[in-house]
Amino acid sequence: MASIAAVPRTAPDRNCPLCPRLADFRKATRKREPDWYNSPVDSFGDASAQLLIVGLAPGMQGANRTGRPFTGDYAGDLLYATLLEYGFAKGVYQARPDDGLRLVDCRISNAVRCVPPQNKPLPAEINQCRQFLTATIAAMPRVRAIVALGRISHDTLLKVFSLRAVATPFAHGAVHQAGELKIYDSYHCSRYNTNTGVLTPKMFRDVFAQVRADLA
Ligand code: SF4
């Protein structure tokens, strides 16, 4: 049976020092863009949700700038449009944290809470930040479905749930049992993946259609 070890903190400090490279990058970005958020980005949505979406890390011009996951860059356009379509969000997404958009029975978090250079966190940084993801999941008493956006998100979730990688390989559309909940794999909704055709809007919608059907 998969299990997760509960740890107490779901969100890091604003000046979390645990990844020196990312802390230095954050400091430099604060200097260059003093009006941006430039801090670890907390989860968006209620802890009582049944659905958790786990992305990779804040985008420089997206969550790192605005402070809300997937808000302000291309990935958010596709993600929020899809959540609205399947009833996991209400309102109008306007790429701003004050646009009034609400998540419905859904929460969004990231494998890594700080923006990494070139969107590429190092393995040690993913390992370090996993404690906050683990705590976030442990603090969601009703969670039944987790959508893993991309392989890194998938891999860190396997470690959260002590699942063997060989038995649960990443594949778009794959569904893995993790104790009483399911992990749904999807290619990340990045501009690169959609521009290159790795992920089409239909492929992305199909994942959320499956989640919606399973949660009914
Ligand atoms: S990525 Fe996570 S663990 Fe690393 S410095 Fe940021 S908040 Fe801390």
Side-chain angles (χ1 to χ4, degrees):
M1 161 86 77
S3 63
I4 59 175
V7 289
R9 298 180 57 229
T10 59
D13 295 337
R14 182 173 182 272
N15 296 311
C16 179
L18 295 176
C19 306
R21 184 184 77 123
L22 299 188
D24 285 350
F25 192 56
R26 190 172 62 214
K27 203 184 287 180
T29 311
R30 281 178 183 168
K31 204 166 176 186
R32 199 188 70 228
E33 301 288 355
D35 297 332
W36 289 9
Y37 183 73
N38 295 321
S39 297
V41 175
D42 202 0
S43 308
F44 175 36
D46 203 286
S48 65
Q50 292 189 91
L51 169 61
L52 175 67
I53 298 164
V54 181
L56 168 58
M60 175 60 86
Q61 305 272 346
N64 178 66
R65 178 172 60 84
T66 65
R68 192 176 74 179
F70 288 90
T71 298
D73 58 10
Y74 177 82
D77 293 350
L78 179 55
L79 176 62
Y80 287 115
T82 307
L83 295 181
L84 285 161
E85 182 175 343
Y86 286 94
F88 290 116
K90 268 194 179 157
V92 179
Y93 172 65
Q94 294 180 307
R96 308 188 316 259
D98 62 351
D99 58 12
L101 185 91
R102 282 192 306 110
L103 297 182
V104 180
D105 206 18
C106 173
R107 196 174 205 204
I108 306 175
S109 198
N110 276 313
V112 172
R113 302 287 177 101
C114 293
V115 60
Q118 279 92 47
N119 290 328
K120 288 192 177 115
L122 300 175
E125 294 160 352
I126 299 163
N127 289 340
Q128 192 66 261
C129 210
R130 190 177 308 114
Q131 62 186 291
F132 301 110
L133 178 62
T134 302
T136 294
I137 296 169
M140 293 181 68
R142 296 177 65 239
V143 67
R144 288 172 56 202
I146 300 181
V147 173
L149 295 180
R151 187 180 300 272
I152 288 176
S153 169
H154 164 95
D155 288 349
T156 203
L157 283 165
L158 295 195
K159 289 182 178 155
V160 168
F161 289 99
S162 305
L163 295 172
R164 290 172 58 239
V166 67
T168 47
F170 175 83
H172 181 84
V175 182
H176 311 285
Q177 199 71 40
E180 295 187 351
L181 58 81
K182 289 178 178 169
I183 297 172
Y184 300 76
D185 285 345
S186 171
Y187 290 127
H188 194 283
C189 49
S190 65
R191 183 190 292 270
Y192 178 82
N193 278 349
T194 49
N195 279 354
T196 54
V198 168
L199 179 72
T200 64
K202 180 182 182 316
M203 288 166 68
F204 199 56
R205 283 200 300 273
D206 286 348
V207 172
F208 285 90
Q210 179 73 54
V211 174
R212 173 50 79 201
D214 289 351
L215 289 181

